Amino acid sequence: MSVEVVKKEEMHTLDRKHKLEDSQSELVDGHDSSSWQSNGKKKQVIVPICTPKIHYTPLKTGLCYDVRMRYHAKIFTSYFEYIDPHPEDPRRIYRIYKILAENGLIKDPTLIGADDIGDLMLKIPARAATDEEILQVHSKEHLDSIEKVSKMNREQLLKETESGDSVYFNNDSYFGAKLSCGGVIEACKAVVEGRVKNSIAVVRPPGHHAEPEAAGGFCLFSNVAVATQNILKNYPESVRRILILDWDIHHGNGTQKAFYEDDRVLYISIHRYEGGKYYPGTIHGRYDQVGESKGAGFNCNITWPVAEVGDSEYMLAFEEVVMPMAREFRPDFVIISSGFDAAEGDTIGRCHVSPSCYGHMTHMLKSLARGNMCVALEGGYSLDAIAKSALSVAKILIGEPPDELPDPKKTPKIEAVEMINKVIRIQSKHWNCFKYKNGNAGYKFNEEITESLISRTFPLQKAIREEQLRQLAKNYGFITLPLNEIEVPEDTILCSPDIFQEKTIIILVHDTPEIWAAGDTITGLIDPSTSIIVDSTLDFLKWAVDRKYGVIDVNVPQSLYEQDNYSAMITAQEILLNLWDNFIKFLPSIAKVAFIGVGDAYSGIVHLLGHRDTRTLVKSSVSFVGRKPLKPLVPLVDESLSDWYFKNSLVFTDKNHPCWVDNENKKPRKKFGRVLRCESDGLSSNMQERFEEGTDFILDSFEEWSDSD
Amino acid sequence: MSVEVVKKEEMHTLDRKHKLEDSQSELVDGHDSSSWQSNGKKKQVIVPICTPKIHYTPLKTGLCYDVRMRYHAKIFTSYFEYIDPHPEDPRRIYRIYKILAENGLIKDPTLIGADDIGDLMLKIPARAATDEEILQVHSKEHLDSIEKVSKMNREQLLKETESGDSVYFNNDSYFGAKLSCGGVIEACKAVVEGRVKNSIAVVRPPGHHAEPEAAGGFCLFSNVAVATQNILKNYPESVRRILILDWDIHHGNGTQKAFYEDDRVLYISIHRYEGGKYYPGTIHGRYDQVGESKGAGFNCNITWPVAEVGDSEYMLAFEEVVMPMAREFRPDFVIISSGFDAAEGDTIGRCHVSPSCYGHMTHMLKSLARGNMCVALEGGYSLDAIAKSALSVAKILIGEPPDELPDPKKTPKIEAVEMINKVIRIQSKHWNCFKYKNGNAGYKFNEEITESLISRTFPLQKAIREEQLRQLAKNYGFITLPLNEIEVPEDTILCSPDIFQEKTIIILVHDTPEIWAAGDTITGLIDPSTSIIVDSTLDFLKWAVDRKYGVIDVNVPQSLYEQDNYSAMITAQEILLNLWDNFIKFLPSIAKVAFIGVGDAYSGIVHLLGHRDTRTLVKSSVSFVGRKPLKPLVPLVDESLSDWYFKNSLVFTDKNHPCWVDNENKKPRKKFGRVLRCESDGLSSNMQERFEEGTDFILDSFEEWSDSD
């Protein structure tokens, strides 16, 4: 195919009129050097010197810090508490202030909290938040309950501390909490009023766990929520929408609750969740909590399912989710609820965010809301880590570019990527920016199956099993083995033709085979003509047929079209028990059996081996679970079954199986059988990698040997 | 399931040792207000006032501008050229300089190119690049060929201009080009040597089309390439890797060529390509040109398949491709090859990038290489647009945050998203960051089919067709109709049982049905148990059976497993001709025929209708093409077939069919039949939407009426 390339300059004559106007309005010198030099006439243009039209660069960065916030502290009751202090330690704010001074960002040699702190930063005095301000978020009851600690005696304080949800009190707690809250308010105001270009509030106690009705998680008042309400109320013309980005490693349940039905505040939290096992561990922190009524879509939880995440996961979350969403939201003001407990070195957070990554995230957020931003300290418990992280953030606020990430080649954890894709999918109902993003492949399937569609759809799984049967029947004369009592498709169990005469039988128990397909990245549709079915059990089946073993092939559907509460694992268990009790036991010639399990279906084998004493017949069991859950053997008939199973089973997992995550050197326990980790990624590759090891194991158990031996 | 949430403070005792060290090394005051107040002892910490440890903020931004670069200009040969000047106009650099002055970024009231231009920017004097410098990229022959224009007479200059590839010459061209090139070198040096924090070179003629051996596209010397070589040579310790980001709307073929085998330079270009129709229109600008030998993976072309792209496409390209790749590359220096011809208002570029989007992109790039960046002007031909865009970029360089995007809710064009996904897929061989990204679903299929896999795979398409046959046989008694002479699977054509007695026959010609599946976003694997086959032709088939019509169902495979050069469209054409000539014509009772075409396969119908005179039998043809190409009827037997086809056909396209893009109000031409645009998105939805219209059209053509009439 030959294409015609237009000369570059010819393209522009498409719109001559535009050019004409340009040309008539301003024909200045130098257009053509020959004509310019000859006529010598020059239209003199004067551009008067003016104040630079830049609003941001000339301003300082605001800093709120007040030593009085250090008076709120845990009362020591033992020497132990003295040498291993409570993590929400008064030194947290001091160490941040100190590192800023050490790096010359502020000037305050005695670190007392001077008023004039130099050319780069402007001191923003903290003040106690007023009752009225606090009551914009909290109930009167809650306010009173905090106020009353200022007059308690030691006994009462300790009792109050004991009864709370991860909070402590001394007589200064009330005043400290009001200062912390008021500090964040003032730090925000200074930006909105244009006194500083942005600001950082180095305050404590933190706020984001404090709910309207209750303190919690070291937090007494919800500092950021109170400041947000305050700004929205006092500057309704200039600030209509506020983005709160909470990168504390814990979910900011208090902040979320305050704005859950509010479309003026987009709350995005990135935190560890781990199925609710991580603090605060309520379902409110789940990724599918997207806000309600007017606020639907204005709450976004990016929830790490595992610990040990770091720069690559946070950068991905920012570029894939936070920034597109935030730009679409168009905030007038940004508040970072800035806990530094995801930082490298924090033993509560157990994550690995580097100081420069905090810098990169701050830099990105600076592109929103014309840079109007306040950073408010939340958690973070390694004094070194929070100091370094805060320094990195403060430098960005002042105008420095971020440092390079220490390891930009690192790929994010699969679990984190999967979660980000889930967040994209669930938020795509509310945000245009996610329309064509990763995680939306398959969107159609989940969202749009209407009544009228049902009439012209059929399940893919059935088509595939029929094809398997056709092939096995043609090549090896396999037949269908009907199952009584269990409702599964009629071709669930196939077997080799002379099964009643076989001495040695291999029983394959597997999920529907994998499909490798190139999905349309826009619609999620699969093109069948470029897709293939990869039936990795076929290698094992052929091996068994070649060795003249009998074969029973059990295909456990992962779902059944008509049944909502179908469970593939339970079905696998039922099928195997049924098959054993009603068929295999009664085969006249049978002497040796080995199981090969693949995918979820393998749990049927483990269930059977624990629920029946099959040891006279079953010699071994080899399974490939991919990344599916491991199933422990529960020895119902005889305790010794556990040992027997461990000795006579191999369970191969994928390289990326969760059982190895955070457990690099730890083996799963014995009850799971002999669990081995493949070096490859993907079930099909696993089965290829360990084909020989698996089949040799079976041959050994039969006291036979492979041809190569 | 109940999960146990650990109290927040208990978690940290996991690593007591760490805390202990922290605590012993620095037990400062304020830790506990009661103890602090009582013992009163305070370890006085002094932090000496120091120079701020920030390298970037205090520096100015460099600006290179020199009026002498305006002397290179096109010689007027007609009044037409005077009123409609050449787009690469000397005023381009002047207008940028002027807008910087008008906004107070520089101080130069008479715009003569003053030496002291104020507090924000530092003048970087341009100088002519030396021969030695230019020869680092260009051949001696090329240098000589440009040098010689300085001494040519008017005739010779005009002749030289005429013979070049979109370039012009006057006697000042050589000096101008050397100044432009030297200006970029100096602008880069000033940053690398730390005299400025970053810089912008407002220079012309541009450079990125100039190849080592040839001028082209208004470019004489490859300014950015020469500067890059210069920096790599002269600062080998501090600059080991350079990122060149080229956002000129044209591909920078010259720059690419200079570094195509060089792993020290990552060249990323974002440009219109349109199958090679857009300037410069060589295959070198294609997305699959990723560099060679050592440079493999260090060249990245993000190629827009259509015009009219804008902020949403560029932001997506940056966040999905440019930034992750650039961070992984770890450049020590960044050069933006900054054409502003993708800007809103440029009639050559015909795109819509807003000034603030240029700001956002600059802001993002600033996060690389610790902010070491030089912006070098390339193309851009609307004087207003380039001025506004350059101003926006310069503000970011100085330290301002970017403005909000004018329309952040806009979704990117599908064609652009698809291209970005293609780029991700092809670059994922070279860059870790793309491992789990969009576009990689299906990665496995394309990359990893090994010999050993073939034995255990089978095509999905076959499984699906068998299932269709089984269903149609069971429900309607359909049978297989064997085809002579054409090699296609045996169940390609099915028909209703009494086909030989039927008077009225509906012939369905369709692709393999769609699969709706939820692919694993990590592995690209499809889970068959949650996937469904959506056979939208089934509604039409049932309708025909209900009306007691005969039905012939033709399934055209989109690919054949064994055949590499198989074409679905050609096969569809062969099948239809064969079916007509050998079967349908000879059906004894046949009186009326209507075609229903779906997908690529529909081209078989159009082919038949143009190659045979079927008008005595065929009454109408209704097709659904989705987003597949339209096929024109070529009337081989009789010219009047075209009119007949237009009158008796309906061709429904998807809402997003390319024929409507940029042609909102223009109908496709008559030879394509009566083409109508569905309001829905997706083939299956199209067919649902227009079911009634399609079937009514057929009934009308049969002079029958639907039940509802």
Side-chain angles (χ1 to χ4, degrees), chain B residues 380-670:
Chain B
Y381 309 102
S382 156
L383 298 177
D384 277 339
I386 65 171
K388 280 184 204 153
S389 305
L391 173 64
S392 182
V393 168
K395 279 184 172 176
I396 304 294
L397 294 181
I398 284 170
E400 294 287 291
D403 286 331
E404 263 183 4
L405 295 176
D407 185 6
K409 280 193 198 301
K410 197 166 178 195
T411 55
K413 281 181 191 287
I414 289 179
E415 294 87 348
V417 179
E418 284 173 337
M419 178 48 68
I420 287 171
N421 290 340
K422 279 186 188 175
V423 172
I424 288 174
R425 192 179 287 194
I426 203 154
Q427 294 287 354
S428 66
K429 293 184 197 90
H430 306 284
W431 301 93
N432 281 348
C433 55
F434 297 133
K435 191 164 177 199
Y436 302 128
K437 279 238 182 188
N438 209 353
N440 265 337
Y443 168 77
K444 287 206 108 155
F445 172 64
N446 286 299
E447 303 303 329
E448 293 179 17
I449 295 213
T450 53
E451 272 302 307
S452 67
L453 250 182
I454 298 291
S455 67
R456 48 202 168 93
T457 60
F458 46 99
L460 185 55
Q461 175 164 271
K462 186 161 156 44
I464 293 174
R465 185 59 174 169
E466 296 274 355
E467 178 70 20
Q468 282 183 311
L469 170 57
R470 211 162 32 244
Q471 302 237 349
L472 294 179
K474 195 177 84 188
N475 297 331
Y476 308 115
F478 272 42
I479 52 173
T480 307
L481 187 65
L483 255 194
N484 300 324
E485 296 173 33
I486 302 186
E487 261 192 62
V488 284
E490 58 190 24
D491 47 13
T492 296
I493 305 184
L494 312 178
C495 64
S496 46
D498 303 319
I499 197 73
F500 287 92
Q501 282 81 55
E502 302 289 358
K503 288 203 176 78
T504 307
I505 295 180
I506 304 289
I507 305 178
L508 285 155
V509 185
H510 56 82
D511 299 344
T512 311
E514 291 180 343
I515 296 179
W516 292 13
D520 184 307
T521 50
I522 305 296
T523 60
L525 295 177
I526 305 306
D527 176 3
S529 65
T530 58
S531 303
I532 53 170
I533 300 166
V534 180
D535 186 357
S536 299
T537 58
L538 214 54
D539 287 346
F540 289 88
L541 190 145
K542 282 181 190 161
W543 164 83
V545 170
D546 285 351
R547 291 196 67 91
K548 316 266 186 248
Y549 296 152
V551 175
I552 297 176
D553 181 272
V554 183
N555 177 75
V556 182
Q558 274 119 305
S559 75
L560 280 186
Y561 208 40
E562 308 81 10
Q563 294 181 24
D564 275 347
N565 56 355
Y566 173 87
S567 152
M569 283 207 242
I570 290 173
T571 305
Q573 295 169 7
E574 289 174 357
I575 293 175
L576 267 278
L577 282 183
N578 187 300
L579 188 68
W580 186 264
D581 293 344
N582 302 321
F583 186 75
I584 296 173
K585 273 201 325 201
F586 301 111
L587 285 173
S589 318
I590 194 164
K592 295 173 189 172
V593 170
F595 283 104
I596 298 177
V598 180
D600 272 336
Y602 111 100
S603 76
I605 302 172
V606 184
H607 187 78
L608 171 67
L609 299 181
H611 283 67
R612 300 286 183 273
D613 195 342
T614 62
R615 283 175 286 188
T616 49
L617 288 178
V618 176
K619 302 302 169 194
S620 54
S621 160
V622 173
S623 295
F624 295 87
V625 300
R627 287 171 58 206
K628 296 291 178 71
L630 291 175
K631 160 119 182 128
L633 184 126
V634 181
L636 279 205
V637 282
D638 182 339
E639 277 299 326
S640 68
L641 279 174
S642 291
D643 279 344
W644 174 85
Y645 181 60
F646 183 74
K647 226 181 111 196
N648 294 286
S649 74
L650 289 181
V651 180
F652 294 107
T653 78
D654 193 79
K655 180 176 82 165
N656 289 314
H657 193 282
C659 76
W660 307 105
V661 174
D662 306 333
N663 278 315
E664 291 282 338
N665 303 312
K666 229 173 91 183
K667 280 238 156 205
R669 291 167 56 193
K670 261 188 143 179

Side-chain angles (χ1 to χ4, degrees), chain B residues 182-203:
Chain B
V184 176
I185 296 174
E186 287 304 312
C188 290
K189 276 192 169 177
V191 179
V192 174
E193 292 174 0
R195 285 177 278 132
V196 293
K197 59 181 165 190
N198 47 38
S199 63
I200 179 165
V202 183
V203 297

